[in-house]
Amino acid sequence: MDSEILQFTPFTSFVHPSFWHKLAENKINVDRLCDSAKKICGFYSNVDATNCLVEVECTAFNQEFSVPKNCFFAHGTLHNKNTIEDFKEVEKSKFLQEEGNRIAQLISSGKCLEDPSLLVNFVLLSYADLKKYKFYYWFAFPAPLEAILHVSKPPAKVTDVFTAEQIEVIRKNYLTIEDARKRSFFILEDIGHGFKIHALSDVISDSDKENNFRGTDLTKIYFGFSDPSEYANPGWQLRIFTAFLSFLCPNLCGGAVNFLSVKLKRQLTIDESVVYVARMPEKSINFGEDVKWIGWEPNSVGKYLPRVVSMADSMDPEKLAETSVNLNLKLMRWRIVPELNLDVIADTKCLLLGAGTLGCSVARNLLSWGVNCVSFVDYGNVSYSNPVRQNLFKHEDAQFSRPKAATAAKRLLEIYPALTTKGISLHIPMPGHPIGDSTREQTIKDIQTLEKLIAEHDVIYLLMDSRESRWLPTVLGNVHEKIIINAALGFDSYLVMRHGTRKSPPEPIDYKKHEKKGLKCIPGNHLGCYFCNDVTAPGNSMRDRTLDQQCTVTRPAVSNIAGSLAVELMTTLLQHELREFAPAFVVTSSANREDAEVIPEGILGVLPHSIRGVISSFEQILPATEKFPQCIACSESILAEYRKRKVDFILDALNTSKYLEDLTGITDMMKENYEDIIECMDSDLELSE
């Protein structure tokens, strides 16, 4: 029966990400336009061998390269081209032939005899696109085409060839070879009463090739190699080992020889090792121009084409910022709040109506919480008084009177380039501010733009400088069932609140299980909005005001405190199991405060309806109020009228605030002298900007 050709398991490359980082660093700082060949090193292992891997990492560029424990040297040459055209235009067959000739010189010079690890070589052809952080590459593991072995019987495990005692002797002798270079390839000799391991240079002479193994009983000789192949076929390095032996030991040509493929398990046993009995090539391989070299590695789909890897996630500064920006949040979840759902916060789209003192403060805190989408709406431009209080602006913004919304968005991108943000200069129509025929068309466009923005976002922040400017966003936010967070400032006081939702829960909520002794539980869809404590419609708050009344007159810390609390209120709400339907609690008037139970907490603490603070006394209270059925912003009559008449309803409300009072029944209520109700209403927080 004709003998079969022994198939070799090709090497498979594995590139650690650190290799590309080091390559990029060298290209930028050292090599620059130099694309000459560079020596690099990789390694392979025969411990629990997997897929005949040759690995390279950042240490590949070290001048003094050390392999990891129980690993072996793979000597490489890097050809990193300057352009993608240079990379593509490399003539692959000629390129590999030149590399093969270099390896042939190592063998014929005797260097591989002194250092057998030089038999394992690879070539890396690459191009680094450092603008897009993509690396194009192709590995080759050169070996002579003529290096062919024939076998007439199947490979045998060492357990089928040697006794247990012999295997243990072989294992100990193998492990005593401390130098990984010499353990790569060696010669095992059966000396009758045991086994002896020789370095190649101890047995083979490069100056007297004709006498190598002359008259030797080859049945007692095993040509050993550390095999990274997990398969029945030996690793690729046996092919180059075959060429090496045929060149230096012509007496072996045409004869049968024993090869010992050493494979270790994690416990450093060699029971998985394999013995191959194979016939050497008929004639010695004389390295020269006529020797054809093969060894290009196919890509992941088996085609002989280059590969490409993108390292943008770990090298692009914007991507690095994206992965690093939430480090504090991840540590928070890791060490303190394991239930924290960061994805919910990151995916929340926030619309900030107002890019002034409050808007800037809220925006920075949203970034700190990992929000990925922040949009600004503001109609003003940066003035000279703004930069010292509004932390997203600079003096030059005031010099050029830049629009606040667009400038704030630009500054956020400078802080966090991966953010999705935009700034829209938009005038928000307000009740009590009549419009004429000349502004009617633009007002309608502004209303439509505002409604579109509110529909596109999840949380709407009311951060404007007047009471009436909050009315239209409140109406539209309720129509589109959005979460609304309101913040308003006084001289030394602030109000931060979440508007009660006006949408219905997807399924009934049993609020009884949330009830606590001495506390009134107000469901989230029963909580009031900013206007629920009013019995008058908003009017023009800027009319008949002096300069000091029209401008912001507030202690500097107030806006930062209110802005921070507004974001904390949102994140606490998003982490609550009921979200916007989460109830708020207040101590009942009949309850003894000392007997009242503690307000329930979510994973981030209590979730109030509103927060009122006064920094002159450093006091803060958490009042909660129910929705007002005749509210001029969130009552059902208002929402129904908007759904019915849309823009026409808004225009009527703009031209006369009396219209809203009539529509909601406040006018009739006032006529009926409901003084007792009026007296119970909380007074509105005085606003100033």
Side-chain angles (χ1 to χ4, degrees):
M1 184 178 71
D2 293 338
S3 60
E4 297 180 357
I5 294 177
L6 179 62
Q7 301 296 321
F8 304 103
T9 302
F11 278 125
T12 301
S13 63
F14 183 86
V15 186
H16 291 258
S18 63
F19 176 85
W20 301 122
H21 283 262
K22 191 63 178 179
L23 173 61
E25 178 186 329
N26 287 350
K27 183 64 178 174
I28 294 171
N29 299 323
V30 180
D31 298 337
R32 298 172 185 170
L33 292 178
C34 176
D35 63 355
S36 59
K38 307 289 190 305
K39 288 185 178 181
I40 57 175
C41 274
F43 58 89
Y44 63 95
S45 176
N46 66 338
V47 178
D48 288 337
T50 302
N51 206 26
C52 213
L53 287 182
V54 169
E55 305 180 49
V56 291
E57 54 184 23
C58 61
T59 57
F61 299 90
N62 292 356
Q63 291 185 348
E64 296 294 330
F65 180 78
S66 298
V67 295
K69 186 177 181 180
N70 293 321
C71 292
F72 305 93
F73 290 87
H75 300 271
T77 305
L78 171 67
H79 295 261
N80 188 46
K81 299 300 180 180
N82 283 321
T83 67
I84 188 64
E85 289 76 19
D86 290 344
F87 175 81
K88 291 179 178 179
E89 291 172 2
V90 170
E91 188 178 338
K92 305 302 186 297
S93 58
K94 181 180 178 181
F95 178 84
L96 190 59
Q97 190 66 34
E98 291 174 351
E99 289 300 320
N101 292 339
R102 184 185 60 80
I103 297 169
Q105 181 60 31
L106 290 175
I107 295 174
S108 59
S109 67
K111 290 183 179 180
C112 290
L113 196 58
E114 294 300 323
D115 181 2
S117 71
L118 292 172
L119 290 173
V120 179
N121 284 266
F122 67 90
V123 183
L124 175 54
L125 175 64
S126 65
Y127 163 65
D129 184 348
L130 298 183
K131 288 186 176 180
K132 298 180 179 178
Y133 304 98
K134 287 186 175 181
F135 296 85
Y136 299 81
Y137 68 100
W138 201 348
F139 275 84
F141 301 92
L145 177 62
E146 293 87 344
I148 298 174
L149 293 173
H150 289 80
V151 293
S152 55
K153 61 180 180 179
K157 280 193 175 183
V158 291
T159 52
D160 297 327
V161 178
F162 303 108
T163 66
E165 292 78 9
Q166 290 175 321
I167 292 174
E168 180 61 18
V169 172
I170 295 171
R171 185 186 78 87
K172 288 182 178 179
N173 285 338
Y174 173 77
L175 294 177
T176 56
I177 308 175
E178 295 182 357
D179 189 344
R181 299 175 188 272
K182 296 188 181 299
R183 200 194 289 183
S184 303
F185 300 91
F186 57 91
I187 294 174
L188 176 70
E189 181 182 5
D190 183 352
I191 57 177
H193 53 83
F195 292 89
K196 184 176 181 181
I197 285 185
H198 304 279
L200 297 184
S201 59
D202 293 341
V203 178
I204 301 173
S205 170
D206 62 328
S207 60
D208 190 11
K209 297 190 295 183
E210 298 301 325
N211 286 318
N212 288 329
F213 296 105
R214 181 183 294 275
T216 302
D217 183 1
L218 294 179
T219 62
K220 303 293 185 181
I221 300 295
Y222 295 85
F223 295 94
F225 62 101
S226 299
D227 192 355
S229 172
E230 63 180 310
Y231 307 108
N233 297 326
W236 190 250
Q237 74 266 46
L238 180 53
R239 185 161 207 155
I240 190 70
F241 194 24
T242 299
F244 166 84
L245 291 174
S246 74
F247 175 75
L248 287 177
C249 310
N251 290 317
L252 298 179
C253 292
V257 298
N258 302 315
F259 290 100
L260 175 60
S261 158
V262 179
K263 303 179 185 183
L264 297 178
K265 300 302 290 182
R266 188 65 60 185
Q267 300 79 13
L268 300 184
T269 60
I270 64 168
D271 293 352
E272 297 298 317
S273 300
V274 180
V275 173
Y276 300 92
V277 180
R279 191 176 77 248
M280 290 285 289
E282 293 297 328
K283 61 179 182 178
S284 176
I285 297 176
N286 293 311
F287 294 107
E289 296 297 329
D290 58 336
V291 174
K292 182 175 177 58
W293 292 81
I294 59 174
W296 285 109
E297 181 186 17
N299 62 18
S300 57
V301 295
K303 295 185 177 180
Y304 286 92
L305 293 171
R307 304 183 186 211
V308 61
V309 60
S310 173
M311 296 299 295
D313 287 344
S314 60
M315 296 179 72
D316 187 335
E318 291 190 14
K319 294 287 186 179
L320 287 174
E322 188 174 351
T323 56
S324 301
V325 71
N326 293 332
L327 177 60
N328 178 61
L329 300 176
K330 292 174 182 177
L331 291 175
M332 185 191 307
R333 181 172 61 184
W334 174 35
R335 300 191 62 181
I336 303 173
V337 194
E339 306 92 346
L340 188 63
N341 188 338
L342 296 177
D343 292 337
V344 167
I345 299 173
D347 295 340
T348 299
K349 299 176 181 178
C350 296
L351 177 63
L352 278 53
L353 302 181
T357 314
L358 278 170
C360 291
S361 176
V362 167
R364 289 305 304 264
N365 280 280
L366 288 174
L367 286 191
S368 298
W369 266 110
V371 172
N372 288 324
C373 179
V374 178
S375 301
F376 294 91
V377 169
D378 200 294
Y379 195 58
N381 296 327
V382 181
S383 65
Y384 285 105
S385 65
N386 294 154
V388 294
R389 296 176 297 113
Q390 300 172 7
N391 56 29
L392 291 180
F393 304 129
K394 300 188 293 187
H395 177 71
E396 67 179 63
D397 300 325
Q399 283 183 298
F400 294 97
S401 190
R402 289 169 176 157
K404 280 189 171 182
T407 304
K410 179 183 177 183
R411 292 288 181 268
L412 285 190
L413 282 177
E414 292 174 358
I415 298 167
Y416 180 33
L419 182 72
T420 299
T421 185
K422 59 184 175 181
I424 302 96
S425 291
L426 177 69
H427 175 71
I428 298 178
M430 296 174 281
H433 295 247
I435 60 170
D437 292 338
S438 61
T439 58
R440 178 184 175 89
E441 183 178 348
Q442 183 60 47
T443 300
I444 292 174
K445 289 182 179 178
D446 290 343
I447 294 171
Q448 293 171 340
T449 300
L450 180 62
E451 180 166 18
K452 183 174 182 294
L453 287 169
I454 288 175
E456 293 172 346
H457 292 76
D458 305 308
V459 177
I460 315 302
Y461 281 88
L462 307 184
L463 311 170
M464 298 84 92
D465 58 0
S466 67
R467 175 171 170 264
E468 61 267 28
S469 62
R470 300 162 194 261
W471 176 81
L472 180 55
T474 300
V475 174
L476 296 177
N478 283 311
V479 167
H480 290 281
E481 301 181 336
K482 303 298 182 178
I483 295 173
I484 302 175
I485 304 292
N486 183 69
L489 307 179
F491 165 65
D492 61 357
S493 59
Y494 55 86
L495 166 67
V496 176
M497 70 181 300
R498 57 177 171 122
H499 287 194
T501 183
R502 295 299 170 258
K503 69 178 181 180
S504 300
E507 53 187 49
I509 299 173
D510 182 12
Y511 283 101
K512 288 185 177 181
K513 69 178 184 179
H514 296 279
E515 292 179 353
K516 298 292 180 181
K517 179 182 177 182
L519 299 177
K520 183 176 183 180
C521 175
I522 307 176
N525 55 346
H526 290 175
L527 291 170
C529 77
Y530 178 65
F531 294 94
C532 278
N533 291 332
D534 293 328
V535 289
T536 57
N540 190 342
S541 62
M542 296 294 144
R543 182 181 298 160
D544 299 326
R545 285 197 172 193
T546 60
L547 177 63
D548 65 303
Q549 293 172 321
Q550 295 177 32
C551 298
T552 300
V553 181
T554 183
R555 290 175 63 168
V558 174
S559 61
N560 290 318
I561 295 172
S564 300
L565 290 175
V567 175
E568 293 297 325
L569 185 61
M570 180 201 78
T571 53
T572 304
L573 178 67
L574 293 177
Q575 296 301 311
H576 196 283
E577 60 177 339
L578 298 179
R579 282 180 58 103
E580 56 264 56
F581 297 104
F585 297 85
V586 288
V587 178
T588 59
S589 57
S590 60
N592 186 331
R593 289 182 178 271
E594 294 181 356
D595 296 334
E597 294 187 52
V598 177
I599 295 177
E601 294 187 2
I603 65 172
L604 290 179
V606 300
L607 178 58
H609 175 215
S610 60
I611 308 164
R612 289 179 180 264
V614 181
I615 64 172
S616 59
S617 58
F618 293 99
E619 291 181 317
Q620 189 170 275
I621 60 173
L622 307 178
T625 55
E626 295 185 80
K627 65 181 180 181
F628 179 37
Q630 292 164 291
C631 176
I632 49 87
C634 72
S635 63
E636 188 52 44
S637 58
I638 292 291
L639 303 183
E641 191 69 12
Y642 175 80
R643 294 187 183 101
K644 178 181 177 181
R645 299 182 58 219
K646 298 288 184 180
V647 173
D648 290 336
F649 159 71
I650 301 296
L651 296 177
D652 287 345
L654 301 184
N655 288 318
T656 170
S657 56
K658 184 71 173 171
Y659 169 70
L660 296 175
E661 297 177 3
D662 293 341
L663 180 62
T664 57
I666 289 179
T667 302
D668 294 337
M669 184 184 71
M670 296 290 288
K671 288 180 180 179
E672 295 174 10
N673 296 320
Y674 275 75
E675 289 87 356
D676 55 332
I677 297 178
I678 297 173
E679 291 175 0
C680 292
M681 298 293 181
D682 291 331
S683 60
D684 181 30
L685 180 74
E686 189 68 19
L687 296 174
S688 64
E689 171 67 1

